[in-house]
Amino acid sequence: MTSDLILQISNLSKSFGAIQALRDVRFELRKGEVHAIAGENGAGKSTLMNVIDGIVRPDSGEIRFDGQKVNITSPAVAQRLGIGFVHQEIALCPDISVAENIFMATTNVSRAPLMNYTRLAEKAADVLYRLGDIDPSALVRSLSISQQQLVEIAKALTLDCRVLILDEPTAALTEKEAQILFDIMRKLVSQGISIIYISHRMVEIFDNCDRVSVFRDGQYITTRNVAETTPTEIVNAMVGRVIDKLYPEKQGESEKSESVILSVRHLTEKRRFADISFDLRQGEILGLAGLIGAGRSEIVKGICKLEGEVTGEIVLNGRQLDTSHYQESIAEGLVYLSEDRKGDGLFLDMSIAENVSALSLGQVSSQLGIINDRLEAGLARRLGAMLNLKCGHVAEPVSNLSGGNQQKVAIAKLLSVNPKVIFLDEPTRGVDVGAKSEIHRILRDLARKGVGIVMISSELPELIGVCDRVLVVREGRISGELSGKDMTEENIMYRASVSDKRLEAVQ
Amino acid sequence: MTQETKAVPFDGLGQQPPSSSGIMDAVRKLFRMRETGLVLIIVALFIVMSFASPYFLTWVNMRAMAMAFAVEGIVVVGMTILLISGGIDLSVGSVTALAMVIAGLLFLAGVDPWTASALAILACTGIGAIMGFFVTTVGLHHFIVSLAVMVIARGACLLGTGGRPIGLYTLPPEFKFIGQGSIGVIPVVIIIFLVVVVASDFMLRRTTIFRKVFYTGSNEKAAAYSGIRTKRVVFFTTTLCSALCGFAGIIYMARFGSAQPTFGIGMELNVIAAAVIGGASLSGGTGTIFGAILGVILLSVVSSSLALLDVSVYWQDIIRGSILLSAVTIDHYLNKRRR
């Protein structure tokens, strides 16, 4: 019975101080399967993976690898056993070549006194051709994020692993690259390698995995064959309650309005996008779909005057805007939520209150520019309550909050200036299922109150579930507009990836 | 606090943790503050030294110590603000000396000392603006730009004076009063220092302008995405630091009654050390004036103690460096535990 298990974990517990990260957890991985791990942020997924990779030592419990009881004390031990871990964060050296990065571990244990670069490049090319078009001699710095992610995967593949852990590997990949990755996964599995696959995207789990294990609050909940369960069932197991509706009600027929809040005409930025024209109507949530790198974020940042030299007309509530800096856009009521919450959305080491007031210092200070702490805390508390922010005190640093609550702080920051139009770039990335549907509801409420909402998302089910209308962007141009029943993943993907000529030929 | 609140509020129930009474909170907060630790260390040093040397707790020694850190403390204020915004300035010593030299030479050329001082401070502000230009518009790193300016300003000092101190024997007494006089028993230098400290501490904590300094240093991109013109902020803090150096230089001139072209060599290290001991981070975003001043006081009490105990000057540098390293190490571990 145990012979078909490569990895068997039982009664594993681990606590960090007062927080019990894992409680009596078990997990079984079969040889040659793709096993998905599902759970909200903080469910204990990463801790479990870190235990398997030897980064974290468990307090108690047993790990058997191929039937043998093992003690994984460090990542080096894990590597020797044949456990490879592709982390979500890219950890490559940007100033050395792809080949050198891929073989860093091999070079580290090599006894040869000199580097053989020719051989290194050949070996790297060998691994890379399976993954896509990446030059082994290129500097990692010159690669796109998705290419870097592929290099990370290549790095793990060279280690002759028997178990490969992939932590949200598709987060930064385009659809096409993700498909290549899935093909590779299937090939690896056919070679007898077992894969642990962590993802928030149900579609990926159901399309590419054999089994799925669910964790919640540091506890093991269940393991199911993917063929015998449904996404709804898994989501319910993750959140521990029944989420009957994943997405809020859309705009009703009677709510549809012809009045335009924002109208963009012939917006052009030399290198990134051209001739972008669209209208945002009262009460609707408008989605921007497209592949990563298509220019969606750039368009939105261009409208807000955050970056790029933009030409074209922006008309807000019938009045043409003449803004040249984001500060002026904010004053006019256009605000932008960045896609990288930790990198450029929040001041992590500062307090919740200080984060919320970043756009609206004028509101919480006197005319002399002296900040009133009480007003500032009040602003954060009021907006926090509105967004159902779960926090101890608004003086706490934002870094103490979970991903979903951090995102609420970022949204509160924008709401503090009573914006007329909010542009959200991947508003639910890295946010757990519960908080995700809360954020969707918040966006719908805001739209009902007359705030214009423009949302970018790479998650097609989310766009289709939340938005009333979707614009598809391809290579810096709008390649299609879809609404109602036409908003399907196929239609969006088609317009996002197929060139105009072929589109015309088909039509 | 972080431990309990972390565990409780995110259980998905939306309940707030039970908050303990205000006084207990305040006490706990007090003990978490790094300033408290610094105060305790300084007090302990005072107690030990008062037994070790009968001279230590005398008015004369206290006054000498205060005079020693007061003027440097003004530079520390500028450095702390610059560090918070994410910058650093190695040229503080040279620029302070240059202020003395410019004001001194102008005075000898017949300009009245007040105008000469104002012009010197203006010149230093200009130097800060030039550094700010290279950092924000050109896009160079603070470290390199200020390293270059450190050497250039020192060169200018030596060039202007031929490398020798300029005696300013004809400085009017009302000018020397700034550096040498007292109001009651309290030296004017210390009063100026206290005014600068209290004013800057208040502004840093409470004004919108300085809040933008924190935003910029904490996460420059997030600040830009909040509509803050971060380059202007950095330009401002860079210029302000040099302006405060100029101001300090003038006070030194009034105190010494001369302009010393070689003054302030190595000052940058002491000033940065004080700010960092007081909690400023080299990666920006954190720091307090109060902490930085405690840092200056600590370093200066240590120097004075070592001098009184007849410890060789060479040992003093080794000890000062070790204090900096230990303070930063302790802080590093405390921060790690808190995360």
Side-chain angles (χ1 to χ4, degrees), chain A residues 380-398:
Chain A
R381 252 185 251 119
R382 185 167 55 78
L383 289 167
M386 196 175 116
L387 301 176
N388 195 16
L389 175 73
K390 284 153 199 153
C391 66
H393 195 279
V394 292
E396 246 183 89
V398 168

Side-chain angles (χ1 to χ4, degrees), chain B residues 53-88:
Chain B
S53 163
Y55 183 70
F56 182 80
L57 260 187
T58 59
W59 175 247
V60 179
N61 186 48
M62 288 293 119
R63 192 185 138 109
M65 251 176 10
M67 294 282 283
F69 68 65
V71 192
E72 200 167 278
I74 294 173
V75 179
V76 170
V77 167
M79 181 69 82
T80 305
I81 295 170
L82 182 58
L83 284 171
I84 293 172
S85 74
I88 195 165

